[in-house]
Amino acid sequence: MEIEMGAKITNPQNPPIRQRTPEPRFADMKINPQILKKLEVLKFTVPTPIQQKTIPLGLEGNDLIGIAQTGTGKTLAFAIPIIQKIIEEKKLALIVLPTRELALQVGEVFQKVGKSLGINTAVLIGGMGFGAQISMIRRHPQVVIGTPGRIIDHVAKRNIRLHACKILVLDEADRMLDMGFAPQIKQILKELEVSKDRQTLLFSATMPDDIANIATKYMKTPVRVEVARAGTVADQIEQEIFFVQKDQKLKLLENLLQEHKGSVLVFARTKYGAQKICKELVMRGYTSAEIHSNRSLMQRKQALDGFKSGKYRALVATDIASRGIDVVGIQLIVNFDMPESAEDYVHRIGRTGRAGQKGRAVSIATVDQKHKIYQIEMLTKTKMKVFGDKKNQPTASQGRPHPSEQRHFFRKRQFRGRGRR
Ligand code: AMP
């Protein structure tokens, strides 16, 4: 596999890069004028670094591995070349991603940019009946967006055949593998294998061996574009940690809600925890909604829409349910429970400080979780501001994990099964 390293851009809003080079514009990127017009209407004029790198390569038909997280603008980075190839070359595209919310969000982007240009989209996700999805398929969509399980269900029922898809996007590939979707992804890749002229775009926040293996086996000399290291945290996110006793966590959350008047995204470790926090907040008079795997798709959508519209000030989420949440202007993230892995921390706080805005991430921890803080600081290479009882603050040696634990720092957590959180 031939891999060409793209110029390493460490942050989407990295000022040194903007200062060194004239500001790039979508208008200079050989983008179809109809799409450009649409982007202008939507007020997108300056491409983000992942878009600068990916769009020209995508338009040229290259296979591509994009190491980028949500919040970097990666959806438009693949949506623009796909829409252009549909308009100009009548291609069909399949986009596979890990969660229902992400599928709906990507579907919305295609609707916004592509609908008026004649692009027809079908979103195939679990938790919804087959009937409406079959109707969407019958309308001959040029773009099919879906979660691996449901796509395979449709293939098995012969509702859809994938061989005509000439562009395949595997979005958040690392997370799909974490969630146990490897067999479905392999099956999808096999379904598409007949088409040798397929273009494959793979996006992943990290590059574990499994992803490299997929690239070697199923992609044609992919070009690698890296815009952010796995642990990169936007510069404009202020990170704080409060050490408290377990029974003081709710009080601290309430204080934060009183102090901060905007919307707050709260992370809980389990779905039961999320339910409990949400209930407590509602009882204390804060408009709140919850989003986790015990909620139906409709309930999640209603919670997310309500959070976006300001109906709910607080949204309490678990890690998997929150994946890909794209709500503009969340200024405060509260880790009510510390995440299981340092990488989850980066994903969580990536919901704030987007598109150049300021953000604040407050983590609530108990003293026995000091090693987690150390792991996070190792990954993000930033120091967090520590608040709380002086006695409870970690010293360098306390925070440092035991050498046996150190080896597993960057190993990803194994999920115990799909949809448990
Ligand atoms: P994504 O990483 O695709 O989830 O995008 C993150 C956010 O960035 C979304 O709210 C997009 O609407 C926004 N965005 C994407 N591209 C641009 C751009 N070129 N200029 C400004 N905002 C953008």
Side-chain angles (χ1 to χ4, degrees):
M1 181 176 61
E2 183 187 299
I3 287 184
E4 177 203 314
M5 284 295 289
K8 210 164 185 165
I9 301 167
T10 50
N11 188 292
Q13 277 79 41
N14 195 336
I17 285 171
R18 291 266 163 90
Q19 281 159 16
R20 276 201 303 269
T21 51
E23 194 165 61
R25 299 175 58 80
F26 283 121
D28 306 323
M29 293 178 78
K30 297 190 180 155
I31 295 172
N32 180 295
Q34 286 175 278
I35 303 174
L36 267 184
K37 221 175 193 174
K38 197 74 216 173
L39 292 175
E40 267 172 41
V41 172
L42 294 169
K43 307 244 177 300
F44 294 135
T45 48
V46 178
T48 65
I50 187 79
Q51 292 162 358
Q52 286 170 45
K53 284 269 147 201
T54 307
I55 292 170
L57 292 164
L59 288 175
E60 281 167 20
N62 288 286
D63 274 13
L64 194 121
I65 297 175
I67 307 292
Q69 296 165 7
T70 50
T72 53
K74 72 180 159 62
T75 313
L76 272 180
F78 61 75
I80 291 172
I82 287 177
I83 293 172
Q84 184 143 335
K85 282 180 181 290
I86 293 170
I87 296 174
E88 295 181 355
E89 301 169 37
K90 307 260 175 289
K91 294 222 165 151
L92 302 181
L94 174 67
I95 299 165
V96 189
L97 27 71
T99 66
R100 301 160 187 184
E101 283 76 19
L102 190 57
L104 291 169
Q105 232 165 253
V106 170
E108 269 176 34
V109 172
F110 273 90
Q111 287 274 328
K112 265 200 239 165
V113 184
K115 194 166 181 223
S116 61
L117 307 175
I119 307 291
N120 195 359
T121 312
V123 178
L124 310 181
I125 49 180
M128 284 174 95
F130 279 84
Q133 295 180 4
I134 291 171
S135 305
M136 284 195 265
I137 293 169
R138 290 200 179 130
R139 273 183 246 129
H140 302 293
Q142 299 103 324
V143 185
V144 171
I145 301 160
T147 45
R150 182 51 69 100
I151 292 172
I152 289 300
D153 287 347
H154 279 288
V155 170
K157 288 177 190 283
R158 296 181 193 277
N159 297 335
I160 192 166
R161 292 176 68 201
L162 303 179
H163 69 283
C165 284
K166 299 292 183 207
I167 307 173
L168 172 67
V169 177
L170 297 174
D171 192 11
E172 306 211 349
D174 52 348
R175 193 49 65 132
M176 286 201 280
L177 296 184
D178 280 348
M179 290 169 76
F181 283 132
Q184 289 87 347
I185 290 171
K186 285 192 181 132
Q187 205 181 330
I188 289 168
L189 284 159
K190 279 200 187 114
E191 290 285 329
L192 289 159
E193 214 171 13
V194 276
S195 87
K196 294 282 181 238
D197 53 343
R198 182 189 76 223
Q199 180 180 14
T200 307
L201 312 175
L202 183 152
F203 290 86
S204 188
T206 55
M207 192 66 190
D209 289 348
D210 290 346
I211 306 273
N213 291 341
I214 288 180
T216 311
K217 201 160 170 202
Y218 299 99
M219 296 174 78
K220 296 171 299 190
T221 57
V223 180
R224 176 165 157 160
V225 175
E226 188 166 352
V227 294
R229 182 169 54 77
T232 302
V233 166
D235 292 339
Q236 63 273 28
I237 302 176
E238 211 169 284
Q239 299 177 69
E240 297 162 21
I241 173 111
F242 283 78
F243 283 100
V244 296
Q245 306 284 339
K246 225 176 185 166
D247 59 2
Q248 290 170 351
K249 285 165 96 175
L250 260 170
K251 183 73 202 136
L252 176 55
L253 177 59
E254 200 182 351
N255 288 350
L256 288 165
L257 277 159
Q258 278 169 3
E259 172 196 316
H260 176 88
K261 298 292 171 217
S263 52
V264 179
L265 179 59
V266 182
F267 281 98
R269 198 175 61 82
T270 64
K271 54 192 174 190
Y272 302 108
Q275 265 167 350
K276 190 164 168 250
I277 297 163
C278 185
K279 209 168 138 196
E280 293 283 349
L281 290 180
V282 171
M283 271 165 37
R284 286 166 165 76
Y286 299 99
T287 52
S288 313
E290 55 194 276
I291 180 164
H292 50 76
S293 60
N294 262 11
R295 308 292 280 173
S296 69
L297 186 63
M298 275 314 290
Q299 287 173 322
R300 294 194 211 184
K301 193 172 175 325
Q302 188 257 344
L304 200 53
D305 289 348
F307 186 57
K308 281 185 189 178
S309 70
K311 180 176 166 193
Y312 303 117
R313 256 192 78 199
L315 181 67
V316 189
T318 55
D319 287 285
I320 290 181
S322 75
R323 184 79 182 159
I325 287 179
D326 178 23
V327 182
V328 181
I330 306 177
Q331 283 158 1
L332 177 61
I333 304 277
V334 177
N335 289 317
F336 188 88
D337 298 314
M338 291 303 289
E340 284 190 35
S341 75
E343 281 162 343
D344 277 343
Y345 174 85
V346 175
H347 284 302
R348 283 182 179 188
I349 75 163
R351 311 310 79 215
T352 186
R354 287 188 159 200
Q357 292 172 352
K358 277 227 169 300
R360 180 182 176 202
V362 175
S363 299
I364 306 178
T366 49
V367 187
D368 58 335
Q369 291 176 318
K370 285 168 184 171
H371 65 287
K372 281 190 183 268
I373 312 305
Y374 183 76
Q375 290 173 7
I376 291 166
E377 290 183 342
M378 285 278 288
L379 182 65
T380 60
K381 298 204 171 27
T382 50
K383 265 255 163 283
M384 292 189 232
K385 273 193 221 161
V386 180
F387 295 89
D389 185 350
K390 278 242 163 7
K391 288 200 300 283
N392 288 339
Q393 289 178 22
T395 62
S397 64
Q398 274 177 318
R400 207 168 294 272
H402 188 271
S404 63
E405 217 181 325
Q406 209 152 2
R407 272 182 283 127
H408 304 295
F409 261 13
F410 300 107
R411 215 169 69 184
K412 293 218 55 146
R413 169 185 79 248
Q414 293 295 309
F415 285 108
R416 285 150 300 212
R418 264 200 271 155
R420 282 186 55 152
R421 295 193 300 154

mmCIF file with all atom_site columns, all heavy atoms in Angstrom, residues 333-349:
data_model
loop_
_atom_site.group_PDB
_atom_site.id
_atom_site.type_symbol
_atom_site.label_atom_id
_atom_site.label_alt_id
_atom_site.label_comp_id
_atom_site.label_asym_id
_atom_site.label_entity_id
_atom_site.label_seq_id
_atom_site.pdbx_PDB_ins_code
_atom_site.Cartn_x
_atom_site.Cartn_y
_atom_site.Cartn_z
_atom_site.occupancy
_atom_site.B_iso_or_equiv
_atom_site.pdbx_formal_charge
_atom_site.auth_seq_id
_atom_site.auth_comp_id
_atom_site.auth_asym_id
_atom_site.auth_atom_id
_atom_site.pdbx_PDB_model_num
ATOM 1   N N   . ILE A 1 333 ? -19.409 21.560 28.190 1.00 0.00 ? 333 ILE A N   1
ATOM 2   C CA  . ILE A 1 333 ? -19.545 20.101 28.256 1.00 0.00 ? 333 ILE A CA  1
ATOM 3   C C   . ILE A 1 333 ? -19.227 19.715 29.696 1.00 0.00 ? 333 ILE A C   1
ATOM 4   O O   . ILE A 1 333 ? -18.223 20.185 30.249 1.00 0.00 ? 333 ILE A O   1
ATOM 5   C CB  . ILE A 1 333 ? -18.483 19.402 27.370 1.00 0.00 ? 333 ILE A CB  1
ATOM 6   C CG1 . ILE A 1 333 ? -18.541 19.878 25.931 1.00 0.00 ? 333 ILE A CG1 1
ATOM 7   C CG2 . ILE A 1 333 ? -18.575 17.874 27.484 1.00 0.00 ? 333 ILE A CG2 1
ATOM 8   C CD1 . ILE A 1 333 ? -19.531 19.236 25.063 1.00 0.00 ? 333 ILE A CD1 1
ATOM 9   N N   . VAL A 1 334 ? -20.059 18.893 30.288 1.00 0.00 ? 334 VAL A N   1
ATOM 10  C CA  . VAL A 1 334 ? -19.749 18.423 31.640 1.00 0.00 ? 334 VAL A CA  1
ATOM 11  C C   . VAL A 1 334 ? -19.586 16.902 31.608 1.00 0.00 ? 334 VAL A C   1
ATOM 12  O O   . VAL A 1 334 ? -20.508 16.182 31.210 1.00 0.00 ? 334 VAL A O   1
ATOM 13  C CB  . VAL A 1 334 ? -20.858 18.814 32.643 1.00 0.00 ? 334 VAL A CB  1
ATOM 14  C CG1 . VAL A 1 334 ? -20.540 18.253 34.024 1.00 0.00 ? 334 VAL A CG1 1
ATOM 15  C CG2 . VAL A 1 334 ? -21.012 20.331 32.721 1.00 0.00 ? 334 VAL A CG2 1
ATOM 16  N N   . ASN A 1 335 ? -18.429 16.428 31.989 1.00 0.00 ? 335 ASN A N   1
ATOM 17  C CA  . ASN A 1 335 ? -18.239 14.993 32.154 1.00 0.00 ? 335 ASN A CA  1
ATOM 18  C C   . ASN A 1 335 ? -18.675 14.664 33.569 1.00 0.00 ? 335 ASN A C   1
ATOM 19  O O   . ASN A 1 335 ? -17.876 14.731 34.507 1.00 0.00 ? 335 ASN A O   1
ATOM 20  C CB  . ASN A 1 335 ? -16.771 14.623 31.943 1.00 0.00 ? 335 ASN A CB  1
ATOM 21  C CG  . ASN A 1 335 ? -16.376 14.752 30.491 1.00 0.00 ? 335 ASN A CG  1
ATOM 22  O OD1 . ASN A 1 335 ? -17.117 14.345 29.600 1.00 0.00 ? 335 ASN A OD1 1
ATOM 23  N ND2 . ASN A 1 335 ? -15.217 15.337 30.246 1.00 0.00 ? 335 ASN A ND2 1
ATOM 24  N N   . PHE A 1 336 ? -19.961 14.341 33.721 1.00 0.00 ? 336 PHE A N   1
ATOM 25  C CA  . PHE A 1 336 ? -20.476 14.019 35.050 1.00 0.00 ? 336 PHE A CA  1
ATOM 26  C C   . PHE A 1 336 ? -19.777 12.757 35.558 1.00 0.00 ? 336 PHE A C   1
ATOM 27  O O   . PHE A 1 336 ? -19.422 12.649 36.721 1.00 0.00 ? 336 PHE A O   1
ATOM 28  C CB  . PHE A 1 336 ? -21.990 13.785 34.979 1.00 0.00 ? 336 PHE A CB  1
ATOM 29  C CG  . PHE A 1 336 ? -22.641 13.628 36.315 1.00 0.00 ? 336 PHE A CG  1
ATOM 30  C CD1 . PHE A 1 336 ? -23.099 14.733 37.007 1.00 0.00 ? 336 PHE A CD1 1
ATOM 31  C CD2 . PHE A 1 336 ? -22.777 12.378 36.902 1.00 0.00 ? 336 PHE A CD2 1
ATOM 32  C CE1 . PHE A 1 336 ? -23.687 14.600 38.256 1.00 0.00 ? 336 PHE A CE1 1
ATOM 33  C CE2 . PHE A 1 336 ? -23.356 12.227 38.152 1.00 0.00 ? 336 PHE A CE2 1
ATOM 34  C CZ  . PHE A 1 336 ? -23.811 13.345 38.834 1.00 0.00 ? 336 PHE A CZ  1
ATOM 35  N N   . ASP A 1 337 ? -19.603 11.810 34.645 1.00 0.00 ? 337 ASP A N   1
ATOM 36  C CA  . ASP A 1 337 ? -18.763 10.641 34.930 1.00 0.00 ? 337 ASP A CA  1
ATOM 37  C C   . ASP A 1 337 ? -17.577 10.708 33.992 1.00 0.00 ? 337 ASP A C   1
ATOM 38  O O   . ASP A 1 337 ? -17.742 11.072 32.818 1.00 0.00 ? 337 ASP A O   1
ATOM 39  C CB  . ASP A 1 337 ? -19.521 9.337  34.631 1.00 0.00 ? 337 ASP A CB  1
ATOM 40  C CG  . ASP A 1 337 ? -20.768 9.182  35.493 1.00 0.00 ? 337 ASP A CG  1
ATOM 41  O OD1 . ASP A 1 337 ? -20.651 9.424  36.709 1.00 0.00 ? 337 ASP A OD1 1
ATOM 42  O OD2 . ASP A 1 337 ? -21.830 8.834  34.952 1.00 0.00 ? 337 ASP A OD2 1
ATOM 43  N N   . MET A 1 338 ? -16.424 10.340 34.470 1.00 0.00 ? 338 MET A N   1
ATOM 44  C CA  . MET A 1 338 ? -15.252 10.337 33.598 1.00 0.00 ? 338 MET A CA  1
ATOM 45  C C   . MET A 1 338 ? -15.442 9.261  32.522 1.00 0.00 ? 338 MET A C   1
ATOM 46  O O   . MET A 1 338 ? -16.022 8.218  32.775 1.00 0.00 ? 338 MET A O   1
ATOM 47  C CB  . MET A 1 338 ? -13.982 10.039 34.402 1.00 0.00 ? 338 MET A CB  1
ATOM 48  C CG  . MET A 1 338 ? -13.593 11.162 35.346 1.00 0.00 ? 338 MET A CG  1
ATOM 49  S SD  . MET A 1 338 ? -13.373 12.736 34.491 1.00 0.00 ? 338 MET A SD  1
ATOM 50  C CE  . MET A 1 338 ? -11.853 12.440 33.602 1.00 0.00 ? 338 MET A CE  1
ATOM 51  N N   . PRO A 1 339 ? -14.950 9.514  31.313 1.00 0.00 ? 339 PRO A N   1
ATOM 52  C CA  . PRO A 1 339 ? -15.077 8.501  30.263 1.00 0.00 ? 339 PRO A CA  1
ATOM 53  C C   . PRO A 1 339 ? -14.189 7.300  30.549 1.00 0.00 ? 339 PRO A C   1
ATOM 54  O O   . PRO A 1 339 ? -13.247 7.405  31.338 1.00 0.00 ? 339 PRO A O   1
ATOM 55  C CB  . PRO A 1 339 ? -14.595 9.241  29.019 1.00 0.00 ? 339 PRO A CB  1
ATOM 56  C CG  . PRO A 1 339 ? -13.724 10.322 29.536 1.00 0.00 ? 339 PRO A CG  1
ATOM 57  C CD  . PRO A 1 339 ? -14.240 10.702 30.873 1.00 0.00 ? 339 PRO A CD  1
ATOM 58  N N   . GLU A 1 340 ? -14.499 6.177  29.893 1.00 0.00 ? 340 GLU A N   1
ATOM 59  C CA  . GLU A 1 340 ? -13.702 4.978  30.136 1.00 0.00 ? 340 GLU A CA  1
ATOM 60  C C   . GLU A 1 340 ? -12.313 5.095  29.531 1.00 0.00 ? 340 GLU A C   1
ATOM 61  O O   . GLU A 1 340 ? -11.349 4.581  30.059 1.00 0.00 ? 340 GLU A O   1
ATOM 62  C CB  . GLU A 1 340 ? -14.424 3.755  29.580 1.00 0.00 ? 340 GLU A CB  1
ATOM 63  C CG  . GLU A 1 340 ? -15.565 3.354  30.489 1.00 0.00 ? 340 GLU A CG  1
ATOM 64  C CD  . GLU A 1 340 ? -16.158 2.017  30.128 1.00 0.00 ? 340 GLU A CD  1
ATOM 65  O OE1 . GLU A 1 340 ? -15.416 1.127  29.701 1.00 0.00 ? 340 GLU A OE1 1
ATOM 66  O OE2 . GLU A 1 340 ? -17.377 1.891  30.276 1.00 0.00 ? 340 GLU A OE2 1
ATOM 67  N N   . SER A 1 341 ? -12.200 5.755  28.384 1.00 0.00 ? 341 SER A N   1
ATOM 68  C CA  . SER A 1 341 ? -10.871 5.874  27.779 1.00 0.00 ? 341 SER A CA  1
ATOM 69  C C   . SER A 1 341 ? -10.551 7.338  27.501 1.00 0.00 ? 341 SER A C   1
ATOM 70  O O   . SER A 1 341 ? -11.451 8.179  27.374 1.00 0.00 ? 341 SER A O   1
ATOM 71  C CB  . SER A 1 341 ? -10.813 5.082  26.470 1.00 0.00 ? 341 SER A CB  1
ATOM 72  O OG  . SER A 1 341 ? -11.514 5.771  25.468 1.00 0.00 ? 341 SER A OG  1
ATOM 73  N N   . ALA A 1 342 ? -9.252  7.609  27.382 1.00 0.00 ? 342 ALA A N   1
ATOM 74  C CA  . ALA A 1 342 ? -8.812  8.973  27.085 1.00 0.00 ? 342 ALA A CA  1
ATOM 75  C C   . ALA A 1 342 ? -9.335  9.402  25.714 1.00 0.00 ? 342 ALA A C   1
ATOM 76  O O   . ALA A 1 342 ? -9.662  10.568 25.497 1.00 0.00 ? 342 ALA A O   1
ATOM 77  C CB  . ALA A 1 342 ? -7.289  9.036  27.135 1.00 0.00 ? 342 ALA A CB  1
ATOM 78  N N   . GLU A 1 343 ? -9.437  8.443  24.787 1.00 0.00 ? 343 GLU A N   1
ATOM 79  C CA  . GLU A 1 343 ? -9.932  8.793  23.448 1.00 0.00 ? 343 GLU A CA  1
ATOM 80  C C   . GLU A 1 343 ? -11.399 9.223  23.495 1.00 0.00 ? 343 GLU A C   1
ATOM 81  O O   . GLU A 1 343 ? -11.807 10.127 22.774 1.00 0.00 ? 343 GLU A O   1
ATOM 82  C CB  . GLU A 1 343 ? -9.742  7.622  22.491 1.00 0.00 ? 343 GLU A CB  1
ATOM 83  C CG  . GLU A 1 343 ? -8.303  7.549  22.030 1.00 0.00 ? 343 GLU A CG  1
ATOM 84  C CD  . GLU A 1 343 ? -7.937  6.207  21.443 1.00 0.00 ? 343 GLU A CD  1
ATOM 85  O OE1 . GLU A 1 343 ? -8.662  5.230  21.671 1.00 0.00 ? 343 GLU A OE1 1
ATOM 86  O OE2 . GLU A 1 343 ? -6.896  6.153  20.777 1.00 0.00 ? 343 GLU A OE2 1
ATOM 87  N N   . ASP A 1 344 ? -12.173 8.567  24.364 1.00 0.00 ? 344 ASP A N   1
ATOM 88  C CA  . ASP A 1 344 ? -13.576 8.982  24.515 1.00 0.00 ? 344 ASP A CA  1
ATOM 89  C C   . ASP A 1 344 ? -13.642 10.417 25.043 1.00 0.00 ? 344 ASP A C   1
ATOM 90  O O   . ASP A 1 344 ? -14.531 11.182 24.677 1.00 0.00 ? 344 ASP A O   1
ATOM 91  C CB  . ASP A 1 344 ? -14.320 8.058  25.484 1.00 0.00 ? 344 ASP A CB  1
ATOM 92  C CG  . ASP A 1 344 ? -14.802 6.795  24.788 1.00 0.00 ? 344 ASP A CG  1
ATOM 93  O OD1 . ASP A 1 344 ? -14.842 6.787  23.554 1.00 0.00 ? 344 ASP A OD1 1
ATOM 94  O OD2 . ASP A 1 344 ? -15.123 5.815  25.487 1.00 0.00 ? 344 ASP A OD2 1
ATOM 95  N N   . TYR A 1 345 ? -12.698 10.769 25.901 1.00 0.00 ? 345 TYR A N   1
ATOM 96  C CA  . TYR A 1 345 ? -12.660 12.134 26.432 1.00 0.00 ? 345 TYR A CA  1
ATOM 97  C C   . TYR A 1 345 ? -12.520 13.128 25.280 1.00 0.00 ? 345 TYR A C   1
ATOM 98  O O   . TYR A 1 345 ? -13.240 14.124 25.199 1.00 0.00 ? 345 TYR A O   1
ATOM 99  C CB  . TYR A 1 345 ? -11.501 12.286 27.430 1.00 0.00 ? 345 TYR A CB  1
ATOM 100 C CG  . TYR A 1 345 ? -11.312 13.706 27.917 1.00 0.00 ? 345 TYR A CG  1
ATOM 101 C CD1 . TYR A 1 345 ? -12.047 14.191 28.994 1.00 0.00 ? 345 TYR A CD1 1
ATOM 102 C CD2 . TYR A 1 345 ? -10.417 14.568 27.285 1.00 0.00 ? 345 TYR A CD2 1
ATOM 103 C CE1 . TYR A 1 345 ? -11.890 15.498 29.432 1.00 0.00 ? 345 TYR A CE1 1
ATOM 104 C CE2 . TYR A 1 345 ? -10.250 15.873 27.715 1.00 0.00 ? 345 TYR A CE2 1
ATOM 105 C CZ  . TYR A 1 345 ? -10.990 16.332 28.796 1.00 0.00 ? 345 TYR A CZ  1
ATOM 106 O OH  . TYR A 1 345 ? -10.843 17.623 29.204 1.00 0.00 ? 345 TYR A OH  1
ATOM 107 N N   . VAL A 1 346 ? -11.598 12.822 24.370 1.00 0.00 ? 346 VAL A N   1
ATOM 108 C CA  . VAL A 1 346 ? -11.364 13.713 23.233 1.00 0.00 ? 346 VAL A CA  1
ATOM 109 C C   . VAL A 1 346 ? -12.627 13.809 22.370 1.00 0.00 ? 346 VAL A C   1
ATOM 110 O O   . VAL A 1 346 ? -13.017 14.895 21.945 1.00 0.00 ? 346 VAL A O   1
ATOM 111 C CB  . VAL A 1 346 ? -10.154 13.225 22.401 1.00 0.00 ? 346 VAL A CB  1
ATOM 112 C CG1 . VAL A 1 346 ? -9.981  14.078 21.151 1.00 0.00 ? 346 VAL A CG1 1
ATOM 113 C CG2 . VAL A 1 346 ? -8.889  13.274 23.251 1.00 0.00 ? 346 VAL A CG2 1
ATOM 114 N N   . HIS A 1 347 ? -13.277 12.662 22.154 1.00 0.00 ? 347 HIS A N   1
ATOM 115 C CA  . HIS A 1 347 ? -14.512 12.692 21.355 1.00 0.00 ? 347 HIS A CA  1
ATOM 116 C C   . HIS A 1 347 ? -15.585 13.519 22.058 1.00 0.00 ? 347 HIS A C   1
ATOM 117 O O   . HIS A 1 347 ? -16.292 14.295 21.438 1.00 0.00 ? 347 HIS A O   1
ATOM 118 C CB  . HIS A 1 347 ? -15.046 11.282 21.137 1.00 0.00 ? 347 HIS A CB  1
ATOM 119 C CG  . HIS A 1 347 ? -14.258 10.519 20.108 1.00 0.00 ? 347 HIS A CG  1
ATOM 120 N ND1 . HIS A 1 347 ? -14.102 10.958 18.831 1.00 0.00 ? 347 HIS A ND1 1
ATOM 121 C CD2 . HIS A 1 347 ? -13.586 9.356  20.192 1.00 0.00 ? 347 HIS A CD2 1
ATOM 122 C CE1 . HIS A 1 347 ? -13.364 10.097 18.163 1.00 0.00 ? 347 HIS A CE1 1
ATOM 123 N NE2 . HIS A 1 347 ? -13.027 9.113  18.965 1.00 0.00 ? 347 HIS A NE2 1
ATOM 124 N N   . ARG A 1 348 ? -15.703 13.313 23.379 1.00 0.00 ? 348 ARG A N   1
ATOM 125 C CA  . ARG A 1 348 ? -16.733 14.052 24.120 1.00 0.00 ? 348 ARG A CA  1
ATOM 126 C C   . ARG A 1 348 ? -16.529 15.554 24.011 1.00 0.00 ? 348 ARG A C   1
ATOM 127 O O   . ARG A 1 348 ? -17.429 16.287 23.646 1.00 0.00 ? 348 ARG A O   1
ATOM 128 C CB  . ARG A 1 348 ? -16.666 13.668 25.603 1.00 0.00 ? 348 ARG A CB  1
ATOM 129 C CG  . ARG A 1 348 ? -17.280 12.334 25.945 1.00 0.00 ? 348 ARG A CG  1
ATOM 130 C CD  . ARG A 1 348 ? -17.172 12.153 27.438 1.00 0.00 ? 348 ARG A CD  1
ATOM 131 N NE  . ARG A 1 348 ? -17.746 10.904 27.908 1.00 0.00 ? 348 ARG A NE  1
ATOM 132 C CZ  . ARG A 1 348 ? -17.894 10.616 29.193 1.00 0.00 ? 348 ARG A CZ  1
ATOM 133 N NH1 . ARG A 1 348 ? -17.522 11.481 30.123 1.00 0.00 ? 348 ARG A NH1 1
ATOM 134 N NH2 . ARG A 1 348 ? -18.418 9.474  29.561 1.00 0.00 ? 348 ARG A NH2 1
ATOM 135 N N   . ILE A 1 349 ? -15.325 16.003 24.336 1.00 0.00 ? 349 ILE A N   1
ATOM 136 C CA  . ILE A 1 349 ? -15.162 17.453 24.421 1.00 0.00 ? 349 ILE A CA  1
ATOM 137 C C   . ILE A 1 349 ? -15.046 18.095 23.037 1.00 0.00 ? 349 ILE A C   1
ATOM 138 O O   . ILE A 1 349 ? -15.127 19.307 22.906 1.00 0.00 ? 349 ILE A O   1
ATOM 139 C CB  . ILE A 1 349 ? -14.013 17.879 25.365 1.00 0.00 ? 349 ILE A CB  1
ATOM 140 C CG1 . ILE A 1 349 ? -12.666 17.633 24.734 1.00 0.00 ? 349 ILE A CG1 1
ATOM 141 C CG2 . ILE A 1 349 ? -14.105 17.207 26.729 1.00 0.00 ? 349 ILE A CG2 1
ATOM 142 C CD1 . ILE A 1 349 ? -11.579 18.403 25.458 1.00 0.00 ? 349 ILE A CD1 1
#
